Amino acid sequence: MEQMKTDLLLNLLKADSADYKNLATQGSTTPQKKQTIRSLMNIRMPGNLSKALLAAQDAYLEQELAEKGVVTLAEIPTLREQSGGQAAFADKLSLWQGDITRLQVGAIVNAANSQMLGCFIPCHRCIDNAIHSAAGMQLREECSHIMQEKRMRYGRRYEEPVGTATLTKAYNLPCDYVIHTVGPIVYGELTDALREDLRRCYESVLNCCVENDIRSVAFCCISTGEFHFPNEEAAQIAVKCVTDFLETHSAALDRVIFNVFKDDDREIYERIFRSF
């Protein structure tokens, strides 16, 4: 059954592509086929999603999620439960290491780019690629509609500015929503303006949660990695912004999760929380 779903989606994606309809995949292993599927999804421009293609994609992604396993909010300990932490709001904060696309929470945060269409680089390791790949091609389609509407209002050259928050459906992800924010890119020296830009990302996402009655949210490490914001200072800004926000909006949020993927980031957050 797994192989049938994989082969069906692969063949439909090839047929859907003008450039890759004759791509040779016969004899490929299952991992190779899955990599090709993700690549074809990543490079596909928005528009003209057939019912057959969507049905095959959704069945395939449902299978992929079942293999990865869903992580519920109840399975993620708070700082107080994890280590007996006495930090402010330790009963509302969590540090969790792993794949953010597995989390069954109110919303996960995507570190988007200014075009807001996801990452077009096949199988790129950025969070934008991971989230769009697991959500499915509908997410790019919705983001495209949002950007088209904004370009009608603000001009055809419109790009999403740094520090905003855009809410979309989650489609094949186990969370309820995705909140997209464009973080600052550090090209050289880290400035106070860049620090403020990153702070606004966190604040905008938290405000979006409150406005839409989203009671749990998982933040990725916004602007680190590909955007070159120093990990240590990014984490300090993230924790301070969240705890400051909870000072006045504690009743509106049940849980804020700092999601990390790398050991280095986990150690940074652990050190910050120990210093509280």
Side-chain angles (χ1 to χ4, degrees):
M1 181 64 71
E2 175 185 359
Q3 192 60 56
M4 289 175 59
K5 291 179 180 179
T6 301
D7 289 341
L8 175 61
L9 178 56
L10 178 56
N11 290 331
L12 286 172
L13 282 168
K14 287 166 57 178
D16 177 70
S17 171
D19 294 326
Y20 296 98
K21 61 177 57 180
N22 296 318
L23 181 67
T25 55
Q26 191 172 6
S28 298
T29 64
T30 297
Q32 289 171 333
K33 289 178 179 179
K34 290 185 175 184
Q35 186 175 40
T36 303
I37 285 172
R38 180 165 174 172
S39 297
L40 291 173
M41 289 171 62
N42 291 161
I43 65 175
R44 190 186 189 280
M45 296 298 292
N48 301 318
L49 286 165
S50 71
K51 290 182 179 179
L53 179 56
L54 282 181
Q57 175 212 249
D58 292 350
Y60 172 84
L61 291 177
E62 180 182 17
Q63 173 182 280
E64 290 291 288
L65 179 59
E67 290 179 4
K68 290 190 298 185
V70 172
V71 178
T72 67
L73 189 61
E75 296 175 279
I76 304 173
T78 65
L79 293 182
R80 198 178 306 283
E81 292 168 337
Q82 197 168 40
S83 58
Q86 298 301 309
F89 308 111
D91 57 338
K92 288 183 177 286
L93 302 177
S94 294
L95 173 62
W96 188 79
Q97 183 176 16
D99 180 355
I100 199 170
T101 67
R102 298 174 61 202
L103 299 184
Q104 191 176 62
V105 296
I108 64 172
V109 177
N110 179 32
N113 57 52
S114 61
Q115 298 300 312
M116 284 285 292
L117 295 179
C119 173
F120 283 86
I121 302 172
C123 300
H124 195 245
R125 294 174 63 85
C126 69
I127 191 72
D128 199 11
N129 189 296
I131 289 174
H132 273 264
S133 296
M137 293 176 286
Q138 301 99 312
L139 182 56
R140 178 169 286 170
E141 191 70 16
E142 182 177 355
C143 288
S144 177
H145 285 307
I146 291 170
M147 291 300 286
Q148 286 173 6
E149 290 174 0
K150 289 186 176 183
R151 285 174 178 144
M152 288 177 66
R153 281 182 287 172
Y154 305 123
R156 61 186 182 87
R157 296 184 182 275
Y158 175 84
E159 294 184 355
E160 191 67 19
V162 169
T164 62
T166 301
L167 184 71
T168 66
K169 297 177 183 178
Y171 300 100
N172 291 284
L173 292 162
C175 56
D176 296 325
Y177 299 98
V178 179
I179 304 176
H180 309 258
T181 188
V182 181
I185 303 175
V186 180
Y187 291 107
E189 180 185 357
L190 183 61
T191 64
D192 286 342
L194 290 168
R195 295 182 180 96
E196 175 60 19
D197 284 342
L198 184 60
R199 189 199 65 78
R200 284 193 294 111
C201 288
Y202 282 90
E203 186 175 58
S204 295
V205 169
L206 292 167
N207 278 321
C208 180
C209 288
V210 172
E211 291 164 5
N212 292 278
D213 196 27
I214 298 169
R215 301 197 62 86
S216 58
V217 59
F219 281 100
C220 62
C221 298
I222 302 168
S223 277
T224 60
E226 297 295 320
F227 282 15
H228 308 298
F229 205 106
N231 297 54
E232 179 89 34
E233 191 152 1
Q236 291 172 355
I237 291 169
V239 173
K240 186 177 189 313
C241 184
V242 168
T243 52
D244 285 351
F245 192 87
L246 288 174
E247 289 284 354
T248 53
H249 297 86
S250 177
L253 290 163
D254 296 326
R255 191 81 66 85
V256 178
I257 301 159
F258 297 98
N259 169 249
V260 298
F261 194 73
K262 299 177 181 177
D263 291 342
D264 289 348
D265 286 314
R266 187 197 73 242
E267 291 166 4
I268 288 170
Y269 275 94
E270 288 175 342
R271 187 163 59 248
I272 292 171
F273 290 128
R274 283 197 301 268
S275 70
F276 269 28

